Amino acid sequence: MSAITPEVVAQHGLKPDEYQRIVAHLGREPNLTELGVFSVMWSEHCSYKSSRVHLKDFPTTGPRVLQGPGENAGVVDVGDGLAVCFKMESHNHPSYIEPYQGAATGVGGILRDVFTMGARPIASMNSLRFGDPSHPKTAWLLEGVVAGIGGYGNCMGVPTVAGEVAFHGSYDGNCLVNAFTLGVLPADKIFRGKAAGVGNPLMYIGAKTGRDGIHGATMASAQFDDRTEEKRPTVQVGDPFMEKLLLEACLELFQTDAVVGIQDMGAAGLTSSSVEMAGRAGNGLDLYVDQVPRREEGMTPYEVLLSESQERMLLVAARGKEEEVRRICRKWDLDVAVIGIVTGTGRWRVLSRGEVVADLPVEPLTEGAPRYQRPMTPHPALPGLRAFDPGTLPEPADLGAALLALLARPTIASKEWVYRQYDHMVRLVGAVRPGGDAAVVRLATGEGAHARKGIALSVAANSRFCFLDPRLGAMHAVAECARNIACVGGEPLAISDCLNFGNPEKPEIMWQFAEAVRGISEACRALGTPVVSGNVSLYNETDGKGIFPTPTVAMVGLVEPVERSCHSAFRQAGDVVALVGSLTGEVGGSEYLAALHGTEAGTVPALDLAREQAVQATVRAAVREGLLSSAHDCSEGGLAVALAECCMMAEAPAGGGAPPWLGAAVRVPFGTRKDFVLFGEEPSRILVSLPHGRLSRLLELARAAGAPVVTLGAVGGDRLEIQGALSVPVAELAAAWRAGIPRVLRREARS
């Protein structure tokens, strides 16, 4: 047995004082296997030791919440006996090291988190962040990550229906890959990850265990340096065809009375799944590690316990039902074995060749893990950045050229190159397809109450806003998601989040985190969208340089009836164009300042949550009444970009031919500088179009809700004309907008 030296402890990602806490818990020195178990269970990825003290402030309950945080995924009631189950998780570190497999296994993991609750996955989405487009790794990472997401999801037959992609130099050394999946299940049949019932057998189902991914959770809790490439062996390898078999087997098992508890073997593999199941039930477990199916010879208990091989589940079966579990697993060609038993000891024991190789109390591995109230200090540069006056910058001589430059920015540009690689048509669930504000998926086809229901999905994060003001920036992300859902007529229900930050041991990073959590909490309480699941990803740094704070929010809404959902593109000439919201010209932290002036500074636009609710209520009611031809949120790039997108977002006919683009002629009330009004990113604004005869009803709805409305002009022609500011052909706008992402990829081809 290897000696436990300070060097060995450090290699396991544990601090000296943490090691002393382990010794105190055990009353002795741990052996190497036990040290490895503590290492993964006390990692940031598994224990949330730096974040738990802040996450407790999230609102997590509500009239529709059936399962909040603490399980594999959250569950929300959508009526008529149905519920939806969803979660978002990060796979940032593995994706930077090996983009295809890192992203693919991120998708596989989130799918398992959902179907382990008893839900059939019906839709996925993602939020991606890459470095500066000119960085030599950006194109390689973009191609690999998108291919990995598409490859896994497409093989699984789960459509990827929505997402977002942004680029910024802070992600040069650490891309972000946040994956989300939603499933549907009976509201009264939720499965949980508990090792209940002393004497019940613990069963392993799925793929065999190999050496891939060992210490993946520890790697995901560390920052990168110039030896990052050496961590490739800690990246898991996925097999979506095996996962499809596992999915179908689990769903069949859920129709029996054999399943007492079930959990995905995700981060930290067999160790975390078994420990967490025991902890939730207040029980112990004996694991017979030699019974674990393996695909490699000579694996030690340490390696088997810490492997993160994919496509595996841990199941607590009802005693006497083992053969039923075996029969279903064999039908689906899966490995299956009894590998342990539930005990009442409160201890987690591992036995190999008749000997106990690990004997640990469960509580210190779960609820008893360290919890840190780390020092917090605002970033020292913020006062100067916030005090910056954009009015000192020159106004562009050609606002049309400025708009074209913004549309060509990869963060704003069309993401068609990305979502064309995802199968968003499989299962024919899509009512509103990718490319707009929110996707809408049907819960069922045919007739009946279920067929009238749709689920709206949206994801958002504005890292520049969050750097300048983490609390307000995080509030903006929640509000933008809810606004996107209102654009398709949806009622926001709940959120999942992915909180991506740098090194929490730096006071300014910990302050960013705490402020972002506070902002999400405030916005979710105001908008009635509890946090039901999520993930924290810290240490997103390379060589000491951290990413911009990126608290990503994924929101789920209910659309009923689903036929009344709305699209973003202008639909018919002659429609009135109106803005539900107001124009104040706030450009602090905007894409415009970054793109045209090379400046990331200023005051983040204020967010009035009462005004936000009024705007959303107006548009949601208008969509449900069938008043609107289109509805589109104003976000990055402001009003001018939103107008341009409405002109050119219509899809080409299925049989081919020119896209049905429509221009617009509008008159904008410029109360301040034209560029600020056109490109400002103030919130609580939705651009709509509708027949003239329905305008009075829209104004009536707005007055009732307390939302302002500005009538701008009309749809028509082949140009976007903003009186006194710019006039650009829609074809020219579309050419710039569609070229943004391909231009990033061509840089790699030229290098």
Side-chain angles (χ1 to χ4, degrees), residues 289-303:
V289 72
D290 297 340
Q291 303 304 312
V292 172
R294 311 177 192 193
R295 66 169 185 262
E296 297 186 44
E297 296 290 332
M299 290 185 72
T300 65
Y302 179 103
E303 292 173 320

mmCIF file of all heavy atoms in Angstrom, residues 289-303:
data_model
loop_
_atom_site.group_PDB
_atom_site.id
_atom_site.type_symbol
_atom_site.label_atom_id
_atom_site.label_comp_id
_atom_site.label_asym_id
_atom_site.label_seq_id
_atom_site.Cartn_x
_atom_site.Cartn_y
_atom_site.Cartn_z
ATOM 1 N N VAL A 289 -16.578 -4.858 -4.754
ATOM 2 C CA VAL A 289 -15.992 -4.217 -5.921
ATOM 3 C C VAL A 289 -15.527 -5.230 -6.976
ATOM 4 O O VAL A 289 -15.480 -4.917 -8.177
ATOM 5 C CB VAL A 289 -14.846 -3.275 -5.486
ATOM 6 C CG1 VAL A 289 -13.636 -4.076 -5.020
ATOM 7 C CG2 VAL A 289 -14.465 -2.303 -6.582
ATOM 8 N N ASP A 290 -15.233 -6.452 -6.567
ATOM 9 C CA ASP A 290 -14.788 -7.462 -7.533
ATOM 10 C C ASP A 290 -15.905 -7.881 -8.485
ATOM 11 O O ASP A 290 -15.640 -8.483 -9.530
ATOM 12 C CB ASP A 290 -14.261 -8.704 -6.803
ATOM 13 C CG ASP A 290 -13.032 -8.400 -5.958
ATOM 14 O OD1 ASP A 290 -12.381 -7.378 -6.229
ATOM 15 O OD2 ASP A 290 -12.751 -9.168 -5.020
ATOM 16 N N GLN A 291 -17.146 -7.591 -8.123
ATOM 17 C CA GLN A 291 -18.280 -7.988 -8.964
ATOM 18 C C GLN A 291 -18.592 -6.959 -10.052
ATOM 19 O O GLN A 291 -19.452 -7.204 -10.908
ATOM 20 C CB GLN A 291 -19.524 -8.187 -8.087
ATOM 21 C CG GLN A 291 -19.348 -9.197 -6.969
ATOM 22 C CD GLN A 291 -18.896 -10.544 -7.488
ATOM 23 O OE1 GLN A 291 -19.464 -11.075 -8.442
ATOM 24 N NE2 GLN A 291 -17.863 -11.105 -6.861
ATOM 25 N N VAL A 292 -17.923 -5.818 -10.025
ATOM 26 C CA VAL A 292 -18.188 -4.766 -11.013
ATOM 27 C C VAL A 292 -17.713 -5.226 -12.393
ATOM 28 O O VAL A 292 -16.547 -5.620 -12.552
ATOM 29 C CB VAL A 292 -17.469 -3.458 -10.624
ATOM 30 C CG1 VAL A 292 -17.563 -2.418 -11.743
ATOM 31 C CG2 VAL A 292 -18.059 -2.900 -9.328
ATOM 32 N N PRO A 293 -18.576 -5.212 -13.417
ATOM 33 C CA PRO A 293 -18.148 -5.600 -14.774
ATOM 34 C C PRO A 293 -17.044 -4.663 -15.277
ATOM 35 O O PRO A 293 -17.153 -3.448 -15.163
ATOM 36 C CB PRO A 293 -19.434 -5.435 -15.598
ATOM 37 C CG PRO A 293 -20.545 -5.544 -14.613
ATOM 38 C CD PRO A 293 -20.025 -4.921 -13.352
ATOM 39 N N ARG A 294 -15.984 -5.247 -15.836
ATOM 40 C CA ARG A 294 -14.822 -4.454 -16.267
ATOM 41 C C ARG A 294 -14.455 -4.796 -17.699
ATOM 42 O O ARG A 294 -14.671 -5.913 -18.155
ATOM 43 C CB ARG A 294 -13.619 -4.733 -15.369
ATOM 44 C CG ARG A 294 -13.945 -4.640 -13.900
ATOM 45 C CD ARG A 294 -12.754 -4.990 -13.031
ATOM 46 N NE ARG A 294 -13.176 -5.176 -11.647
ATOM 47 C CZ ARG A 294 -12.336 -5.233 -10.625
ATOM 48 N NH1 ARG A 294 -11.039 -5.125 -10.830
ATOM 49 N NH2 ARG A 294 -12.803 -5.409 -9.398
ATOM 50 N N ARG A 295 -13.860 -3.825 -18.366
ATOM 51 C CA ARG A 295 -13.388 -4.071 -19.727
ATOM 52 C C ARG A 295 -11.869 -4.065 -19.814
ATOM 53 O O ARG A 295 -11.308 -4.218 -20.899
ATOM 54 C CB ARG A 295 -13.982 -3.039 -20.691
ATOM 55 C CG ARG A 295 -13.543 -1.617 -20.501
ATOM 56 C CD ARG A 295 -13.981 -0.747 -21.688
ATOM 57 N NE ARG A 295 -13.466 0.601 -21.576
ATOM 58 C CZ ARG A 295 -14.160 1.629 -21.114
ATOM 59 N NH1 ARG A 295 -15.414 1.477 -20.729
ATOM 60 N NH2 ARG A 295 -13.621 2.831 -21.039
ATOM 61 N N GLU A 296 -11.193 -3.891 -18.662
ATOM 62 C CA GLU A 296 -9.732 -3.887 -18.653
ATOM 63 C C GLU A 296 -9.236 -4.814 -17.545
ATOM 64 O O GLU A 296 -9.848 -4.917 -16.473
ATOM 65 C CB GLU A 296 -9.194 -2.466 -18.451
ATOM 66 C CG GLU A 296 -9.581 -1.509 -19.577
ATOM 67 C CD GLU A 296 -8.918 -0.154 -19.436
ATOM 68 O OE1 GLU A 296 -7.707 -0.116 -19.131
ATOM 69 O OE2 GLU A 296 -9.599 0.861 -19.631
ATOM 70 N N GLU A 297 -8.127 -5.456 -17.804
ATOM 71 C CA GLU A 297 -7.541 -6.386 -16.846
ATOM 72 C C GLU A 297 -6.773 -5.637 -15.757
ATOM 73 O O GLU A 297 -6.226 -4.559 -15.990
ATOM 74 C CB GLU A 297 -6.583 -7.349 -17.565
ATOM 75 C CG GLU A 297 -7.261 -8.263 -18.581
ATOM 76 C CD GLU A 297 -8.145 -9.306 -17.928
ATOM 77 O OE1 GLU A 297 -7.841 -9.685 -16.768
ATOM 78 O OE2 GLU A 297 -9.133 -9.726 -18.558
ATOM 79 N N GLY A 298 -6.731 -6.233 -14.602
ATOM 80 C CA GLY A 298 -5.849 -5.753 -13.542
ATOM 81 C C GLY A 298 -6.256 -4.452 -12.882
ATOM 82 O O GLY A 298 -5.425 -3.794 -12.247
ATOM 83 N N MET A 299 -7.514 -4.061 -12.991
ATOM 84 C CA MET A 299 -7.939 -2.816 -12.357
ATOM 85 C C MET A 299 -7.978 -2.986 -10.842
ATOM 86 O O MET A 299 -8.486 -3.977 -10.314
ATOM 87 C CB MET A 299 -9.316 -2.384 -12.876
ATOM 88 C CG MET A 299 -9.315 -1.913 -14.317
ATOM 89 S SD MET A 299 -10.929 -1.272 -14.842
ATOM 90 C CE MET A 299 -10.983 0.275 -13.925
ATOM 91 N N THR A 300 -7.436 -2.003 -10.138
ATOM 92 C CA THR A 300 -7.438 -2.022 -8.678
ATOM 93 C C THR A 300 -8.769 -1.484 -8.159
ATOM 94 O O THR A 300 -9.506 -0.811 -8.887
ATOM 95 C CB THR A 300 -6.307 -1.142 -8.127
ATOM 96 O OG1 THR A 300 -6.577 0.228 -8.504
ATOM 97 C CG2 THR A 300 -4.952 -1.575 -8.685
ATOM 98 N N PRO A 301 -9.110 -1.754 -6.907
ATOM 99 C CA PRO A 301 -10.320 -1.149 -6.337
ATOM 100 C C PRO A 301 -10.319 0.376 -6.465
ATOM 101 O O PRO A 301 -11.369 0.975 -6.731
ATOM 102 C CB PRO A 301 -10.270 -1.596 -4.875
ATOM 103 C CG PRO A 301 -9.555 -2.914 -4.919
ATOM 104 C CD PRO A 301 -8.502 -2.736 -5.986
ATOM 105 N N TYR A 302 -9.180 0.992 -6.274
ATOM 106 C CA TYR A 302 -9.060 2.445 -6.424
ATOM 107 C C TYR A 302 -9.529 2.867 -7.814
ATOM 108 O O TYR A 302 -10.329 3.806 -7.971
ATOM 109 C CB TYR A 302 -7.593 2.832 -6.198
ATOM 110 C CG TYR A 302 -7.249 4.300 -6.336
ATOM 111 C CD1 TYR A 302 -7.057 5.091 -5.207
ATOM 112 C CD2 TYR A 302 -7.081 4.905 -7.581
ATOM 113 C CE1 TYR A 302 -6.718 6.439 -5.316
ATOM 114 C CE2 TYR A 302 -6.750 6.242 -7.700
ATOM 115 C CZ TYR A 302 -6.569 7.001 -6.571
ATOM 116 O OH TYR A 302 -6.235 8.328 -6.688
ATOM 117 N N GLU A 303 -9.053 2.176 -8.842
ATOM 118 C CA GLU A 303 -9.408 2.535 -10.216
ATOM 119 C C GLU A 303 -10.880 2.272 -10.511
ATOM 120 O O GLU A 303 -11.555 3.085 -11.165
ATOM 121 C CB GLU A 303 -8.531 1.761 -11.197
ATOM 122 C CG GLU A 303 -7.070 2.172 -11.174
ATOM 123 C CD GLU A 303 -6.204 1.277 -12.039
ATOM 124 O OE1 GLU A 303 -6.433 0.047 -12.048
ATOM 125 O OE2 GLU A 303 -5.288 1.811 -12.698
#
